[in-house]
Amino acid sequence: AQSVTQLGSHVSVSEGALVLLRCNYSSSVPPYLFWYVQYPNQGLQLLLKYTTGATLVKGINGFEAEFKKSETSFHLTKPSAHMSDAAEYFCAVSDRGAGNQFYFGTGTSLTVIP
Amino acid sequence: DGGITQSPKYLFRKEGQNVTLSCEQNLNHDAMYWYRQDPGQGLRLIYYSQIVNDFQKGDIAEGYSVSREKKESFPLTVTSAQKNPTAFYLCASSTYPGDPQHFGDGTRLSIL
């Protein structure tokens, strides 16, 4: 079975500082990988995804993530944090099965300090 | 615009009562999913359906039931057997493997 670990349930950064949210997965084969953002009382919005090809993936709102197979990681970064980035972030993996079942991490709450 | 509509946004349940959460999608997706979200626990899969008239239990199906009579609809019933139903419920849909799951805006269920 797949599992996803997000290190750090809460991360605080200053406005303009680098954002780094960590995600590691366990899988016998490289899965499909996703990052989602959730604002209070809303659903999840896709930030970016990795399926095949280039391991550095660019997403919306200036976010990007790099798939590192040797480290089984898919960390999310943004060079300069903005106040509007404050939200909950979820890493997810899909096992490539026909049902497209997803496995989610427990989430990281990002606070941006003015 | 295509998307997923969940209703109601807020729902209250009395003791011993069954309640049904609605999920409708116009994305023409084959697969639909129900998740439960509790603080600090991420999303946990309740049920999913890959095609009409077929569905499978997820990790926490006890106390819940679903139906999939139409491609665009996947309602979730929280039964009186679910002793701790207070949570945020999210519905999602997708197509082929590798396609992101697309989410509705959720229903928050509370106990009166």
Side-chain angles (χ1 to χ4, degrees):
Chain A
Q2 302 273 356
S3 70
V4 180
T5 302
Q6 290 185 240
L7 289 176
S9 57
H10 299 275
V11 171
S12 294
V13 300
S14 298
E15 190 175 15
L18 171 72
V19 176
L20 171 61
L21 305 182
R22 299 178 187 275
C23 174
N24 289 87
Y25 66 90
S26 66
S27 173
S28 56
V29 296
Y32 297 128
L33 297 156
F34 305 84
W35 275 100
Y36 286 86
V37 61
Q38 184 182 35
Y39 298 99
N41 292 313
Q42 294 186 23
L44 276 64
Q45 301 173 30
L46 180 70
L47 280 177
L48 48 79
K49 69 173 183 178
Y50 170 80
T51 53
T52 59
T55 57
L56 181 63
V57 180
K58 295 187 183 300
I60 62 171
N61 301 337
F63 285 94
E64 61 183 36
E66 186 172 11
F67 168 58
K68 291 187 177 181
K69 182 179 177 181
S70 61
E71 299 177 8
T72 60
S73 69
F74 191 55
H75 301 330
L76 181 71
T77 60
K78 182 174 180 178
S80 177
H82 191 272
M83 296 299 294
S84 61
D85 295 328
E88 188 90 15
Y89 291 81
F90 291 94
C91 180
V93 302
S94 167
D95 61 5
R96 302 187 177 217
N100 203 27
Q101 190 169 346
F102 275 36
Y103 302 86
F104 287 86
T106 53
T108 297
S109 178
L110 176 66
T111 299
V112 181
I113 303 167
Chain B
D1 287 339
I4 299 178
T5 301
Q6 290 188 241
S7 62
K9 191 161 181 66
Y10 299 95
L11 187 59
F12 298 90
R13 196 191 87 169
K14 296 179 180 179
E15 293 289 339
Q17 185 181 49
N18 294 351
V19 293
T20 297
L21 285 61
S22 172
C23 178
E24 303 279 333
Q25 55 101 356
N26 60 4
L27 298 168
N28 199 33
H29 287 171
D30 290 312
M32 297 187 74
Y33 313 80
W34 274 106
Y35 293 93
R36 171 178 171 141
Q37 186 177 20
D38 296 282
Q41 296 193 47
L43 277 69
R44 293 183 289 168
L45 183 64
I46 305 173
Y47 271 98
Y48 67 102
S49 168
Q50 297 183 47
I51 56 172
V52 174
N53 293 323
D54 186 49
F55 47 83
Q56 287 77 42
K57 293 181 178 180
D59 300 321
I60 56 165
E62 185 174 351
Y64 300 96
S65 66
V66 294
S67 63
R68 186 85 185 277
E69 297 177 359
K70 299 186 296 183
K71 185 176 184 178
E72 58 270 23
S73 179
F74 192 39
L76 173 73
T77 296
V78 184
T79 74
S80 57
Q82 173 50 245
K83 297 306 180 187
N84 184 25
T86 297
F88 191 53
Y89 291 87
L90 288 162
C91 180
S93 70
S94 73
T95 56
Y96 49 84
D99 181 42
Q101 289 189 3
H102 303 256
F103 285 82
D105 281 339
T107 293
R108 187 167 297 281
L109 176 62
S110 302
I111 297 298
L112 281 178

